Amino acid sequence: MPRGELVQTWADISRAGRLLNYEPTINLQTGIALFVDWFKMYKKKRRSEEHDASTTPAEELYRKLKEESEERERIYGIQRFLADVEEQIARQTVLKEKYRSWANGNDVPVPDMTGKHNFTFHPHMMMRQTAAFVFLPYLARDVKSLRQICAWYEECVAFSTDGHLFRSVKPKSEWKRQFNETDEGLYVSEVDVCVADLHNCNSRSTCVADPETKSFRCECKSEYHATAAGSCIPVYTADREKDEQEKQDEMTDIFNGVNITQMKTAAKWLIYKDRFSAEGDYMMAPQLRGDVEGLKQACMDLKVCIGR
């Protein structure tokens, strides 16, 4: 029972009967049914009266004219944009042919865009809008036009039904549900983004195509370890060759005037039992698991290591 409802009542209508000759003739069940019918008719009448009172013929005409004007402006904007795009495509075609000719003569790989004009639809899904290079809000839900424009832009490999065009496809793990309607979502071209080099995997990982979603995932190379945060960190060996990221990290400290090695030599090791520093991983040394002294020495050998 809802809060606030009466648990018991001692209502008595006998006095109303004596003084007013009041005597009910309709039982409760019939009364409720009659009230529901009346209330439905009342609401329908009120809506009709409110509509008639709030909208004059002149206002209705103005509304229709405004809608027609907005539709003409939308169509004109689309046509104007398409004309601009055609001019851009014509100029880009000439430049691309020159580039391909130069690339072929200098053994420079050219992205393989096979399958670009075929798209796979992922309902409800969306990539980060900041990754888009063009936004066409007046073409929202106009899939035919968006597909055509994405096909014109050689760098376009995906588009969303709200008008965003993308030049690269993020891993599906970075997609998010954004649209409620089943006809809204993300269209991804059937280009192999790994072959076309249209992914964001760094030098520590390898791009692996996902044939089902036409997306990809980044798998850490054999000399790197995958962290829970999704990054790849080097696997420690005493004779390993430093990669560019390690060199950059060390140079950053040097330019900042920080000598971490000297600081570590003079400092004490503090032990925090049953604790772990999340997302602060710099390197992995699985062969030294449980070897406290070995881990200390490895951390001392690494200029930017401050804990293990």
Side-chain angles (χ1 to χ4, degrees):
M1 178 180 292
R3 296 180 61 182
E5 289 292 326
L6 292 176
V7 178
Q8 287 181 300
T9 179
W10 286 272
D12 186 357
I13 62 171
S14 60
R15 189 176 183 185
R18 292 194 307 271
L19 299 177
L20 304 174
N21 295 322
Y22 173 71
E23 184 178 351
T25 58
I26 299 176
N27 60 34
L28 180 63
Q29 185 175 2
T30 303
I32 291 176
L34 292 173
F35 172 78
V36 170
D37 291 340
W38 169 84
F39 187 75
K40 287 180 178 178
M41 293 180 61
Y42 171 76
K43 291 292 290 183
K44 183 177 180 180
K45 183 179 179 181
R46 283 294 303 272
R47 283 196 297 266
S48 177
E49 291 175 349
E50 290 173 358
H51 180 269
D52 293 342
S54 61
T55 306
T56 65
E59 290 174 333
E60 184 68 19
L61 176 61
Y62 173 77
R63 184 187 63 79
K64 291 181 179 180
L65 292 174
K66 184 179 180 181
E67 289 178 353
E68 293 174 0
S69 176
E70 290 174 348
E71 179 65 14
R72 284 195 301 270
E73 180 64 25
R74 188 185 73 85
I75 294 174
Y76 173 70
I78 294 173
Q79 293 173 342
R80 183 175 53 194
F81 174 78
L82 294 179
D84 292 342
V85 170
E86 287 179 336
E87 293 180 6
Q88 294 177 30
I89 297 301
R91 292 194 298 268
Q92 289 178 8
T93 300
V94 175
L95 294 174
K96 288 171 184 175
E97 290 303 322
K98 290 182 178 180
Y99 170 76
R100 287 193 179 94
S101 177
W102 173 85
N104 292 332
N106 292 274
D107 294 326
V108 176
V110 178
D112 183 0
M113 302 301 286
T114 303
K116 173 177 168 51
H117 298 285
N118 300 321
F119 292 86
T120 299
F121 178 56
H122 302 278
H124 309 298
M125 304 308 295
M126 179 61 172
M127 291 189 288
R128 289 197 304 270
Q129 296 179 358
T130 53
F133 72 99
V134 173
F135 180 41
L136 309 172
Y138 45 83
L139 290 181
R141 305 191 74 168
D142 186 351
V143 175
K144 182 178 179 181
S145 296
L146 288 169
R147 184 193 297 265
Q148 182 181 11
I149 293 172
C150 188
W152 281 350
Y153 279 109
E154 179 139 351
E155 64 267 40
C156 179
V157 293
F159 66 88
S160 57
T161 50
D162 63 351
H164 287 88
L165 271 59
F166 302 89
R167 57 164 51 96
S168 65
V169 180
K170 305 299 180 184
K172 192 176 182 182
S173 59
E174 297 182 18
W175 298 3
K176 64 179 181 179
R177 183 185 176 97
Q178 178 167 316
F179 304 104
N180 295 322
E181 301 297 330
T182 55
D183 61 343
E184 294 183 297
L186 187 65
Y187 283 82
V188 180
S189 66
E190 297 182 5
V191 172
D192 188 325
V193 292
C194 295
V195 175
D197 195 25
L198 297 173
H199 57 84
N200 62 348
C201 297
N202 59 29
S203 59
R204 295 181 172 184
S205 58
T206 301
C207 178
V208 179
D210 184 341
E212 181 180 353
T213 64
K214 309 306 175 186
S215 177
F216 68 97
R217 65 181 184 277
C218 300
E219 290 189 355
C220 295
K221 296 178 180 178
S222 58
E223 62 270 30
Y224 295 94
H225 173 78
T227 68
S231 59
C232 300
I233 58 176
V235 174
Y236 174 80
T237 55
D239 58 346
R240 81 192 190 290
E241 183 178 348
K242 297 178 183 178
D243 66 8
E244 292 301 319
Q245 185 61 50
E246 290 181 78
K247 295 177 182 177
Q248 181 180 339
D249 292 339
E250 292 182 3
M251 290 301 295
T252 299
D253 289 332
I254 292 173
F255 281 118
N256 288 336
V258 179
N259 190 334
I260 294 180
T261 302
Q262 184 178 2
M263 295 169 61
K264 288 189 294 185
T265 303
K268 294 181 179 180
W269 293 94
L270 298 178
I271 301 176
Y272 296 91
K273 293 184 178 181
D274 302 322
R275 293 293 184 268
F276 180 73
S277 177
E279 300 185 14
D281 301 351
Y282 173 72
M283 190 168 289
M284 183 69 176
Q287 73 278 18
L288 297 177
R289 186 185 300 273
D291 183 357
V292 176
E293 294 303 319
L295 288 168
K296 284 183 180 180
Q297 186 58 50
C299 191
M300 291 297 296
D301 293 340
L302 299 169
K303 289 187 178 181
V304 297
C305 176
I306 59 173
R308 48 81 184 150

